[in-house]
Amino acid sequence: MSTLAVFDAKPYDIAFLKANASAEHSLVFHEFRLSPETAALAKGADAVCVFVSDRADRCCLELLRGVGVRHVALRCAGFNNVDLVAAKELGLTVTRVPAYSPHAVAEHALALLLTLNRKIHRAHNRVRELNFSLSGLVGFDLCGKTAGILGTGKIGRITAQILRGFGVRVLAYDVFRDEAWAAANGVSYAGLEEILAQADIVSLHTPLTPETHHLIDERTLALIKPGVFLVNTSRGKLIDTTALIKALKTGHVGGVALDVYEEEAGVFYEDLSGELLQDDELSRLLTFPNVLITSHQAFLTHEALTQIAQVTLENFRLLQAGQPFLEGTQLA
Ligand code: NAI
């Protein structure tokens, strides 16, 4: 029997991992996140399964190695929270789930955009209180507008294609251009500055890397078309929150929909409804009527959770069997 210690386990993680586990897997669930303080609790496990807020830095990885862990299985696509260089040096294998329903994330980006633009969240609250007034609920037609898709990987492409279905002109930016895909879908690649100047909607779909850290900051916000709607379902640190708040206060940015936030670790996924929110910038963002925030839930569909569980558990089984991992999943 091989053991997988699952950190930051939420009820949906537990349900989907249990539903897809086989008899040879022993699963141990920890509600708390992986950190140097909690790594020792992986003792006895062959592998740990972690998510976006777990901190697999060098210190933590050394501690995991020390208690006999051989495999770090990320149950997400992004891996900016794992020190891959340290993992390699320590002989730890790292895998991820590179694609789990990119449709789930792209569709959530659209859900955010439509909700924010047509003010559905505000209308819903009003109607529940028998306030049937329409004042302040004016949106705009998506049809005929220009969207900038930053990052045309799996999720960015689907987002672009959905937007094309709404009759939106799509400009795309990526370090690797796929001109054949763009031509087939009526999308045009352009430079970042050109897109920022032209787009009515900008949707972020690049991974978080040193190059994309604060891709949206004071400098790029100054170049952005006034009134722009900004959507981020990728990683919080793509946006400099301080600069964003400034641009919201002047009205330069027309609307912001976020599924991710720069300092989300320890806040998103938690029920803090009975507590005092300590993050002043998040508190400020929540006061803007034109800011819509969800708690990193773009992936949260039945299909995505099933794929995450299946790929994670299959890689765990392959490691035990000494066989190669599923294609494209191994990072170290
Ligand atoms: P992907 O790897 O398929 O695509 C990323 C694209 O970004 C690639 O085409 C790449 O060339 C491009 N890129 C990389 N660096 C760039 C740069 N400096 N400038 C411009 N383009 C650059 O990734 P995928 O599956 O589309 O996911 C994108 C991101 O979405 C992930 O990295 C992750 O952070 C986030 N994500 C968020 C989820 C959520 O629940 N909110 C769930 C899954 C992913």
Side-chain angles (χ1 to χ4, degrees), residues 77-78 98 100 105 151-156 173-176 205-207 211-212 233-235 259-260 296 298-299:
Y100 42 94
V105 184
T152 52
K154 293 174 284 296
I155 297 168
Y173 169 72
D174 199 299
V175 278
F176 299 106
H205 301 285
T206 65
E211 293 73 41
T212 62
T233 55
S234 195
R235 281 293 180 268
D259 185 50
V260 287
H296 206 143
F299 71 98

Side-chain angles (χ1 to χ4, degrees), residues 130-325:
L130 307 186
N131 175 357
F132 298 99
S133 151
L134 299 184
S135 303
L137 298 185
V138 179
F140 57 81
D141 286 13
L142 283 184
C143 186
K145 295 294 181 298
T146 298
I149 298 292
L150 309 189
T152 52
K154 293 174 284 296
I155 297 168
R157 286 177 198 214
I158 295 170
T159 309
Q161 288 164 217
I162 299 173
L163 285 165
R164 291 290 299 137
F166 277 88
V168 172
R169 172 179 169 242
V170 176
L171 300 177
Y173 169 72
D174 199 299
V175 278
F176 299 106
R177 295 182 173 197
D178 184 344
E179 296 289 359
W181 164 80
N185 290 283
V187 171
S188 308
Y189 277 102
L192 180 61
E193 298 193 357
E194 186 185 345
I195 293 180
L196 295 180
Q198 291 191 32
D200 305 289
I201 301 147
V202 171
S203 194
L204 307 183
H205 301 285
T206 65
L208 176 63
T209 64
E211 293 73 41
T212 62
H213 182 263
H214 286 182
L215 179 63
I216 301 299
D217 62 4
E218 199 160 344
R219 187 189 74 83
T220 44
L221 280 166
L223 302 172
I224 223 160
K225 186 172 175 181
V228 71
F229 268 43
L230 196 55
V231 182
N232 187 8
T233 55
S234 195
R235 281 293 180 268
K237 289 185 194 296
L238 295 182
I239 299 181
D240 177 345
T241 311
T242 310
L244 179 68
I245 290 173
K246 233 165 133 185
L248 276 161
K249 282 169 79 174
T250 61
H252 185 59
V253 167
V256 177
L258 304 175
D259 185 50
V260 287
Y261 166 63
E262 208 173 353
E263 300 301 330
E264 69 182 52
V267 177
F268 281 17
Y269 304 126
E270 307 303 330
D271 179 359
L272 303 180
S273 54
E275 298 185 25
L276 299 172
L277 187 58
Q278 296 300 324
D279 184 324
D280 290 347
E281 293 205 314
L282 181 56
S283 303
R284 184 66 180 103
L285 282 176
L286 290 168
T287 66
F288 291 103
N290 52 344
V291 172
L292 180 63
I293 302 180
T294 51
S295 176
H296 206 143
Q297 72 171 75
F299 71 98
L300 203 66
T301 66
H302 186 93
E303 290 77 5
L305 288 169
T306 302
Q307 275 174 299
I308 288 170
Q310 287 176 348
V311 171
T312 302
L313 292 168
E314 178 59 6
N315 271 339
F316 182 46
R317 189 191 69 73
L318 291 168
L319 178 86
Q320 302 308 314
Q323 291 168 359
F325 291 114

